[in-house]
Amino acid sequence: MGDSILGSDINLEAGSIIANYRNDLADPRLRINYSGKTIESDTLKFGALVGDGCRIGANAVVAPGAILAPRTVVPRLGLIDQRTRS
């Protein structure tokens, strides 16, 4: 969960990961998709914004730049990746 901003009363089950670097793309700079808009940054490392009361299930993966609204539940083995491949 490195380089993330975490709300209060969250729970990360065993093996869950909040990644902080994109090694699967040629351009790893941070891009956050929010409310139909893309926010671009020169930042290379950033985890996620995790709202109050979120629950992240065992072995789930949250990709860099993800935004989890308050009380979001990510199921076990789930993947949250809000960035497009471009």
PDB file of all heavy atoms in Angstrom, residues 50-56 67-74 80:
ATOM      1  N   VAL A  50      -7.955   5.711  -0.985  1.00  0.00           N
ATOM      2  CA  VAL A  50      -8.887   4.739  -0.416  1.00  0.00           C
ATOM      3  C   VAL A  50      -9.768   5.455   0.607  1.00  0.00           C
ATOM      4  O   VAL A  50      -9.275   5.939   1.623  1.00  0.00           O
ATOM      5  CB  VAL A  50      -8.130   3.564   0.239  1.00  0.00           C
ATOM      6  CG1 VAL A  50      -9.105   2.544   0.807  1.00  0.00           C
ATOM      7  CG2 VAL A  50      -7.190   2.901  -0.765  1.00  0.00           C
ATOM      8  N   GLY A  51     -11.062   5.530   0.317  1.00  0.00           N
ATOM      9  CA  GLY A  51     -11.995   6.248   1.175  1.00  0.00           C
ATOM     10  C   GLY A  51     -12.289   5.534   2.480  1.00  0.00           C
ATOM     11  O   GLY A  51     -12.011   4.342   2.659  1.00  0.00           O
ATOM     12  N   ASP A  52     -12.876   6.272   3.399  1.00  0.00           N
ATOM     13  CA  ASP A  52     -13.256   5.737   4.710  1.00  0.00           C
ATOM     14  C   ASP A  52     -14.135   4.500   4.558  1.00  0.00           C
ATOM     15  O   ASP A  52     -15.009   4.443   3.692  1.00  0.00           O
ATOM     16  CB  ASP A  52     -14.044   6.776   5.508  1.00  0.00           C
ATOM     17  CG  ASP A  52     -13.233   8.001   5.875  1.00  0.00           C
ATOM     18  OD1 ASP A  52     -11.987   7.958   5.790  1.00  0.00           O
ATOM     19  OD2 ASP A  52     -13.856   9.015   6.256  1.00  0.00           O
ATOM     20  N   GLY A  53     -13.893   3.513   5.411  1.00  0.00           N
ATOM     21  CA  GLY A  53     -14.746   2.340   5.477  1.00  0.00           C
ATOM     22  C   GLY A  53     -14.591   1.340   4.351  1.00  0.00           C
ATOM     23  O   GLY A  53     -15.408   0.426   4.230  1.00  0.00           O
ATOM     24  N   CYS A  54     -13.561   1.467   3.516  1.00  0.00           N
ATOM     25  CA  CYS A  54     -13.364   0.516   2.415  1.00  0.00           C
ATOM     26  C   CYS A  54     -12.899  -0.838   2.947  1.00  0.00           C
ATOM     27  O   CYS A  54     -12.231  -0.930   3.970  1.00  0.00           O
ATOM     28  CB  CYS A  54     -12.332   1.044   1.421  1.00  0.00           C
ATOM     29  SG  CYS A  54     -12.956   2.369   0.383  1.00  0.00           S
ATOM     30  N   ARG A  55     -13.247  -1.876   2.200  1.00  0.00           N
ATOM     31  CA  ARG A  55     -12.834  -3.238   2.510  1.00  0.00           C
ATOM     32  C   ARG A  55     -12.210  -3.831   1.258  1.00  0.00           C
ATOM     33  O   ARG A  55     -12.837  -3.845   0.190  1.00  0.00           O
ATOM     34  CB  ARG A  55     -14.031  -4.098   2.925  1.00  0.00           C
ATOM     35  CG  ARG A  55     -14.835  -3.539   4.093  1.00  0.00           C
ATOM     36  CD  ARG A  55     -14.047  -3.706   5.392  1.00  0.00           C
ATOM     37  NE  ARG A  55     -14.795  -3.218   6.544  1.00  0.00           N
ATOM     38  CZ  ARG A  55     -14.523  -2.066   7.179  1.00  0.00           C
ATOM     39  NH1 ARG A  55     -13.577  -1.275   6.762  1.00  0.00           N
ATOM     40  NH2 ARG A  55     -15.214  -1.719   8.228  1.00  0.00           N
ATOM     41  N   ILE A  56     -10.965  -4.311   1.380  1.00  0.00           N
ATOM     42  CA  ILE A  56     -10.259  -4.909   0.245  1.00  0.00           C
ATOM     43  C   ILE A  56     -10.008  -6.370   0.592  1.00  0.00           C
ATOM     44  O   ILE A  56      -9.317  -6.667   1.568  1.00  0.00           O
ATOM     45  CB  ILE A  56      -8.957  -4.150  -0.069  1.00  0.00           C
ATOM     46  CG1 ILE A  56      -9.296  -2.687  -0.393  1.00  0.00           C
ATOM     47  CG2 ILE A  56      -8.209  -4.817  -1.221  1.00  0.00           C
ATOM     48  CD1 ILE A  56      -8.084  -1.798  -0.594  1.00  0.00           C
ATOM     49  N   ILE A  67      -9.073   5.123  -7.441  1.00  0.00           N
ATOM     50  CA  ILE A  67      -9.814   5.871  -6.439  1.00  0.00           C
ATOM     51  C   ILE A  67     -10.956   4.988  -5.956  1.00  0.00           C
ATOM     52  O   ILE A  67     -11.794   4.562  -6.753  1.00  0.00           O
ATOM     53  CB  ILE A  67     -10.377   7.182  -7.014  1.00  0.00           C
ATOM     54  CG1 ILE A  67      -9.233   8.073  -7.491  1.00  0.00           C
ATOM     55  CG2 ILE A  67     -11.233   7.899  -5.973  1.00  0.00           C
ATOM     56  CD1 ILE A  67      -9.694   9.326  -8.216  1.00  0.00           C
ATOM     57  N   LEU A  68     -10.953   4.694  -4.653  1.00  0.00           N
ATOM     58  CA  LEU A  68     -12.024   3.898  -4.061  1.00  0.00           C
ATOM     59  C   LEU A  68     -12.893   4.826  -3.223  1.00  0.00           C
ATOM     60  O   LEU A  68     -12.435   5.406  -2.245  1.00  0.00           O
ATOM     61  CB  LEU A  68     -11.456   2.776  -3.186  1.00  0.00           C
ATOM     62  CG  LEU A  68     -10.533   1.771  -3.880  1.00  0.00           C
ATOM     63  CD1 LEU A  68     -10.070   0.709  -2.895  1.00  0.00           C
ATOM     64  CD2 LEU A  68     -11.237   1.124  -5.055  1.00  0.00           C
ATOM     65  N   ALA A  69     -14.140   4.972  -3.628  1.00  0.00           N
ATOM     66  CA  ALA A  69     -15.083   5.813  -2.892  1.00  0.00           C
ATOM     67  C   ALA A  69     -15.307   5.229  -1.497  1.00  0.00           C
ATOM     68  O   ALA A  69     -15.095   4.032  -1.268  1.00  0.00           O
ATOM     69  CB  ALA A  69     -16.404   5.886  -3.650  1.00  0.00           C
ATOM     70  N   PRO A  70     -15.736   6.050  -0.554  1.00  0.00           N
ATOM     71  CA  PRO A  70     -16.020   5.527   0.790  1.00  0.00           C
ATOM     72  C   PRO A  70     -16.935   4.312   0.748  1.00  0.00           C
ATOM     73  O   PRO A  70     -17.843   4.232  -0.073  1.00  0.00           O
ATOM     74  CB  PRO A  70     -16.711   6.715   1.484  1.00  0.00           C
ATOM     75  CG  PRO A  70     -16.140   7.915   0.801  1.00  0.00           C
ATOM     76  CD  PRO A  70     -15.976   7.496  -0.647  1.00  0.00           C
ATOM     77  N   ARG A  71     -16.624   3.350   1.600  1.00  0.00           N
ATOM     78  CA  ARG A  71     -17.383   2.107   1.774  1.00  0.00           C
ATOM     79  C   ARG A  71     -17.362   1.181   0.560  1.00  0.00           C
ATOM     80  O   ARG A  71     -18.212   0.316   0.411  1.00  0.00           O
ATOM     81  CB  ARG A  71     -18.814   2.401   2.227  1.00  0.00           C
ATOM     82  CG  ARG A  71     -18.860   2.992   3.646  1.00  0.00           C
ATOM     83  CD  ARG A  71     -20.206   3.508   4.038  1.00  0.00           C
ATOM     84  NE  ARG A  71     -20.668   4.643   3.232  1.00  0.00           N
ATOM     85  CZ  ARG A  71     -20.183   5.885   3.299  1.00  0.00           C
ATOM     86  NH1 ARG A  71     -19.204   6.162   4.117  1.00  0.00           N
ATOM     87  NH2 ARG A  71     -20.669   6.845   2.540  1.00  0.00           N
ATOM     88  N   THR A  72     -16.377   1.355  -0.328  1.00  0.00           N
ATOM     89  CA  THR A  72     -16.214   0.423  -1.448  1.00  0.00           C
ATOM     90  C   THR A  72     -15.775  -0.935  -0.915  1.00  0.00           C
ATOM     91  O   THR A  72     -14.942  -1.020  -0.012  1.00  0.00           O
ATOM     92  CB  THR A  72     -15.157   0.948  -2.437  1.00  0.00           C
ATOM     93  OG1 THR A  72     -15.612   2.170  -3.004  1.00  0.00           O
ATOM     94  CG2 THR A  72     -14.857  -0.057  -3.545  1.00  0.00           C
ATOM     95  N   VAL A  73     -16.311  -1.995  -1.491  1.00  0.00           N
ATOM     96  CA  VAL A  73     -15.896  -3.355  -1.155  1.00  0.00           C
ATOM     97  C   VAL A  73     -15.284  -3.978  -2.406  1.00  0.00           C
ATOM     98  O   VAL A  73     -15.948  -4.098  -3.432  1.00  0.00           O
ATOM     99  CB  VAL A  73     -17.081  -4.213  -0.661  1.00  0.00           C
ATOM    100  CG1 VAL A  73     -16.635  -5.648  -0.415  1.00  0.00           C
ATOM    101  CG2 VAL A  73     -17.687  -3.609   0.598  1.00  0.00           C
ATOM    102  N   VAL A  74     -14.020  -4.351  -2.308  1.00  0.00           N
ATOM    103  CA  VAL A  74     -13.331  -5.046  -3.393  1.00  0.00           C
ATOM    104  C   VAL A  74     -13.353  -6.530  -3.022  1.00  0.00           C
ATOM    105  O   VAL A  74     -12.854  -6.910  -1.967  1.00  0.00           O
ATOM    106  CB  VAL A  74     -11.873  -4.551  -3.548  1.00  0.00           C
ATOM    107  CG1 VAL A  74     -11.160  -5.323  -4.652  1.00  0.00           C
ATOM    108  CG2 VAL A  74     -11.832  -3.056  -3.808  1.00  0.00           C
ATOM    109  N   ILE A  80      -8.917  -3.896  -9.287  1.00  0.00           N
ATOM    110  CA  ILE A  80      -9.406  -2.545  -9.545  1.00  0.00           C
ATOM    111  C   ILE A  80      -8.313  -1.835 -10.329  1.00  0.00           C
ATOM    112  O   ILE A  80      -7.220  -1.580  -9.817  1.00  0.00           O
ATOM    113  CB  ILE A  80      -9.683  -1.774  -8.236  1.00  0.00           C
ATOM    114  CG1 ILE A  80     -10.718  -2.506  -7.374  1.00  0.00           C
ATOM    115  CG2 ILE A  80     -10.120  -0.346  -8.542  1.00  0.00           C
ATOM    116  CD1 ILE A  80     -12.080  -2.610  -7.985  1.00  0.00           C
TER     117      ILE A  80
END
